[in-house]
Amino acid sequence: GESVGLHLPTLSVQEGDNSIINCAYSNSASDYFIWYKQESGKGPQFIIDIRSNMDKRQGQRVTVLLNKTVKHLSLQIAATQPGDSAVYFCAEKRRSSASKIIFGSGTRLSIRP
Amino acid sequence: DGGITQSPKYLFRKEGQNVTLSCEQNLNHDAMYWYRQDPGQGLRLIYYSQIVNDFQKGDIAEGYSVSREKKESFPLTVTSAQKNPTAFYLCASSGDRGLDGYTFGSGTRLTVV
């Protein structure tokens, strides 16, 4: 079946360092990928997305990399700050139809002072 | 401001009672979704609706019911048949007939007492 997995359930990073959160997906038909950030007690917030015709996309302090050959997605956060502490979900979808987004189980990012 | 509003933020229910969670959006989105999130876990899809007066079961629909009489509103009823209803419930919406990412509400935490 379809699944979106994450390599690590938790990640601890020193404040100011870069964070890299990884995600594997199994459906080769997926052509749209999204990263969400969820702070405690809140709903997920959109961070950045990428279509399958791209392999890299940059936002403010965040970069998403897509490797379709190995079905791998990563989120890089530059100069990690305390406010980056949250659970990060990757999600995938086939944009060719009104299909549902499939969410991974999430990676909890904690920041060491 | 456009957004998606869930109410109430916290809800307590006695065993055997039905309870309805509200979800309203003013984003003019066609598609709306309900997810359940348990502690330390990802999002599981309960029900979704891609158009008014139509909805489909998600992965864990048993014990839940929904209606979609208006484009802006997608209420979720947690019935007494739901054996373990204590969870964090998230509503989301999507424009462009569900072809893009989701906008989430801030969630309702339901506790059965």
Side-chain angles (χ1 to χ4, degrees):
Chain A
E2 297 175 345
S3 67
V4 180
L6 292 157
H7 291 305
L8 293 173
T10 60
L11 178 65
S12 179
V13 174
Q14 189 79 32
E15 183 177 349
D17 287 353
N18 296 338
S19 301
I20 300 176
I21 301 172
N22 295 304
C23 179
Y25 64 95
S26 61
N27 189 347
S28 56
S30 297
D31 53 9
Y32 178 52
F33 304 89
I34 312 158
W35 280 100
Y36 289 91
K37 173 186 179 182
Q38 185 180 24
E39 296 175 278
S40 182
K42 298 183 180 179
Q45 289 179 291
F46 172 92
I47 302 173
I48 192 167
D49 60 2
I50 188 168
R51 312 285 182 195
S52 59
N53 61 349
M54 302 171 68
D55 53 19
K56 180 179 180 179
R57 190 162 187 226
Q58 288 184 291
Q60 187 176 10
R61 277 201 312 118
V62 295
T63 300
V64 55
L65 299 177
L66 176 63
N67 185 331
K68 294 182 289 294
T69 303
V70 295
K71 288 184 276 189
H72 183 268
L73 190 68
S74 70
L75 177 71
Q76 300 179 3
I77 304 173
T80 309
Q81 303 169 359
D84 295 327
S85 292
V87 175
Y88 290 82
F89 292 97
C90 65
E92 60 94 11
K93 189 175 186 183
R94 283 170 290 169
R95 198 173 185 274
S96 57
S97 68
S99 62
K100 302 181 296 296
I101 286 178
I102 297 171
F103 290 90
S105 56
T107 293
R108 180 173 299 280
L109 177 65
S110 61
I111 314 303
R112 301 191 304 273
Chain B
D1 289 333
I4 182 165
T5 302
Q6 289 186 242
S7 61
K9 189 169 177 64
Y10 299 96
L11 189 57
F12 296 89
R13 189 196 92 174
K14 292 182 179 179
E15 284 193 30
Q17 286 182 338
N18 292 355
V19 64
T20 298
L21 283 58
S22 170
C23 180
E24 303 277 334
Q25 54 99 359
N26 60 2
L27 300 165
N28 199 33
H29 283 173
D30 289 314
M32 296 186 74
Y33 309 81
W34 274 106
Y35 286 88
R36 170 182 172 137
Q37 187 175 34
D38 292 287
Q41 297 190 26
L43 307 174
R44 292 188 289 168
L45 182 64
I46 305 172
Y47 268 98
Y48 65 104
S49 167
Q50 292 181 323
I51 197 167
V52 175
N53 292 322
D54 187 47
F55 49 83
Q56 288 81 39
K57 293 181 179 180
D59 302 317
I60 55 165
E62 185 176 350
Y64 299 98
S65 66
V66 293
S67 62
R68 187 83 188 279
E69 296 176 1
K70 298 187 298 181
K71 187 175 185 178
E72 302 79 18
S73 179
F74 191 41
L76 173 74
T77 297
V78 184
T79 75
S80 57
Q82 169 50 235
K83 298 192 187 317
N84 185 19
T86 295
F88 190 49
Y89 290 87
L90 287 159
C91 180
S93 68
S94 178
D96 195 18
R97 294 171 290 114
L99 294 176
D100 287 310
Y102 297 173
T103 300
F104 282 88
S106 56
T108 292
R109 187 166 301 279
L110 173 64
T111 304
V112 173
V113 296

